[in-house]
Amino acid sequence: MVLCSTNADSTVITLLPNRSATWQETRLVLFLICGTTLAIGTLWAVAGAWAVLPFSGIEAALVAYVLYRVSQATYQRQVITVAPHSVLVQAGTHFPKRSWSLERARTHFAVSDAPHPLAPVGLRIVDGVHSIELGRFLNREDKTEALAALRRAGLQMRSSNPDGAFEP
């Protein structure tokens, strides 16, 4: 998802992954899956097949870990603030964990071709020192929307040839 807002002298572009479920909905699914797995394991343990119980516990723990990690990954975001003399890029989940301040005159965004017809294009914001990948978590349509938002913000664009060389 791409959110764009324009103030008097700056443009703020926020890149967010698409989220199919909130943390509360994910927890509900987690409790249903893990509860069912542990209930079946307990029933088998009571019936005499006690060796099933540790495996159902391991399965429940693994499912809980994977669902937690996937849910947390959907809360990451990148915020690009384009001001008259600077470009600020911030990345993190609930608050900015990494931040880069770039000089606008030396900053452009680079677009690389998709490696596969169904894959999205590659977006990077580049100055003389930094090369920051934008929207790794975005789908094809959202990357196209992010590309349009960066163009509207007035940043220079360069595309890359298949051999990786950039051209203006």
Side-chain angles (χ1 to χ4, degrees):
M1 180 176 3
V2 178
L3 305 173
C4 188
S5 64
T6 304
N7 300 337
D9 62 342
S10 66
T11 301
V12 178
I13 302 167
T14 305
L15 307 177
L16 304 160
N18 293 326
R19 186 177 308 127
S20 61
T22 64
W23 174 238
Q24 289 77 19
E25 294 166 342
T26 303
R27 280 194 347 218
L28 177 64
V29 169
L30 176 68
F31 289 138
L32 288 173
I33 292 173
C34 292
T36 303
T37 299
L38 292 174
I40 291 171
T42 303
L43 289 174
W44 278 105
V46 169
W50 59 267
V52 173
L53 192 57
F55 290 104
S56 66
I58 291 170
E59 179 184 0
L62 185 61
V63 167
Y65 175 75
V66 169
L67 279 176
Y68 174 76
R69 294 290 300 205
V70 168
S71 179
Q72 289 302 309
T74 63
Y75 285 93
Q76 62 184 321
R77 68 179 55 210
Q78 288 179 322
V79 179
I80 303 118
T81 305
V82 181
H85 300 292
S86 66
V87 176
L88 178 65
V89 180
Q90 297 173 317
T93 49
H94 300 290
F95 57 89
K97 292 183 180 174
R98 298 201 60 193
S99 183
W100 300 268
S101 183
L102 313 172
E103 183 182 337
R104 180 158 179 180
R106 299 180 59 195
T107 302
H108 65 275
F109 67 96
V111 180
S112 58
D113 293 333
H116 185 273
L118 298 176
V121 298
L123 283 177
R124 300 188 81 72
I125 194 158
V126 181
D127 72 348
V129 179
H130 303 95
S131 177
I132 306 159
E133 183 175 5
L134 297 178
R136 173 183 289 162
F137 44 79
L138 295 177
N139 61 23
R140 185 182 182 112
E141 293 80 21
D142 288 343
K143 279 223 179 165
T144 304
E145 191 177 337
L147 179 63
L150 288 167
R151 284 183 179 157
R152 283 192 307 269
L155 287 177
Q156 297 176 4
M157 181 186 81
R158 293 188 184 175
S159 62
S160 69
N161 294 329
D163 61 359
F166 287 104
E167 57 187 36

